[in-house]
Amino acid sequence: MRRMTDRNAVFLAPVTKDSIESFCALMKDAFEASAVPSPLDPEMPPEDEVKEYFKSPDGHVMWIVENGCRIGGAVVETNAEPGRNMLVWFFIAPHLHSRGLGTKAWHAIERHWPETRIWELGTPYCDKRNLNFYINKCGFHVVEFFNEHHPELVEGEDARCREESGLPEEDSFRFEKLMQP
């Protein structure tokens, strides 16, 4: 079994002020490479939101590192509710997909926040790659489906009203993973 100090281990390292721009650029590349079914809005992922998490005491903008190289990143929001953390964004560099690094990176995230009892995240319903990863590789479960029929939307509202309601603008799933004590 590898120790986290091994050179080949996947681990997290905080993004610094000097590296936030390169983090955002790699994140944009990763999201554009996996855009389903059409290219993402040029503002996706929203760089200004990433930078807000970077400044927030509850936001954690982290590099995913293997062999001394930055292979991806994660943005995690903590302390919204004790023991409950949210994976806001997570990505692996596109040229490194399908090598098991995402699963190793997810385990590094779990190790980094061992006090987490419940992990939460959201992902578009049409992204089969993400659905497979979070359900079959990481052990998440779908707990909510956001769509035009969601009970928090007033009957007859359209997608333009979702922003006002706080619901995602596109159809998506909310996942949770309950951690073992």
Side-chain angles (χ1 to χ4, degrees):
M1 182 172 180
R2 289 189 217 165
R3 295 186 343 243
M4 288 193 332
T5 56
D6 287 349
R7 178 168 160 71
N8 294 331
V10 172
F11 64 93
L12 303 180
V15 170
T16 63
K17 186 176 179 181
D18 294 338
S19 65
I20 188 71
E21 296 299 329
S22 57
F23 179 91
C24 290
L26 182 58
M27 184 176 176
K28 184 173 180 150
D29 288 348
F31 276 69
E32 285 177 351
S34 66
V36 176
S38 61
L40 292 171
D41 179 299
E43 295 298 317
M44 186 61 192
E47 191 171 324
D48 57 334
E49 285 186 39
V50 174
K51 290 179 178 178
E52 285 302 313
Y53 279 105
F54 182 75
K55 296 175 189 173
S56 168
D58 297 333
H60 307 274
V61 182
M62 309 295 284
W63 285 111
I64 298 167
V65 180
E66 184 194 45
N67 294 329
C69 297
R70 297 170 176 165
I71 63 166
V75 177
V76 173
E77 182 178 356
T78 59
N79 300 321
E81 181 183 316
R84 184 181 197 95
N85 290 331
M86 175 176 273
L87 183 63
V88 181
W89 287 292
F90 178 70
F91 64 93
I92 299 294
H95 69 281
L96 297 173
H97 286 183
S98 300
R99 297 183 186 183
L101 294 171
T103 305
K104 290 178 183 179
W106 173 250
H107 292 304
I109 291 169
E110 289 180 346
R111 284 192 309 269
H112 196 82
W113 286 282
E115 74 289 349
T116 304
R117 291 177 299 136
I118 301 172
W119 280 100
E120 181 178 345
L121 64 89
T123 196
Y125 86 100
C126 60
D127 193 338
K128 292 179 183 179
R129 186 179 178 93
N130 274 1
L131 298 176
N132 178 65
F133 175 74
Y134 290 121
I135 294 169
N136 297 328
K137 305 279 182 164
C138 300
F140 279 85
H141 299 277
V142 174
V143 294
E144 194 166 16
F145 179 40
F146 297 106
N147 62 69
E148 65 186 35
H149 304 291
H150 192 280
E152 289 185 26
L153 285 174
V154 175
E155 192 170 325
E157 286 184 347
D158 61 19
R160 289 177 288 143
C161 298
R162 288 189 187 187
E163 187 174 321
E164 294 171 17
S165 68
L167 294 174
E169 290 183 32
E170 62 183 334
D171 291 354
S172 62
F173 290 113
R174 183 172 69 85
F175 288 89
E176 287 185 353
K177 180 177 182 178
L178 303 176
M179 303 302 291
Q180 298 298 321

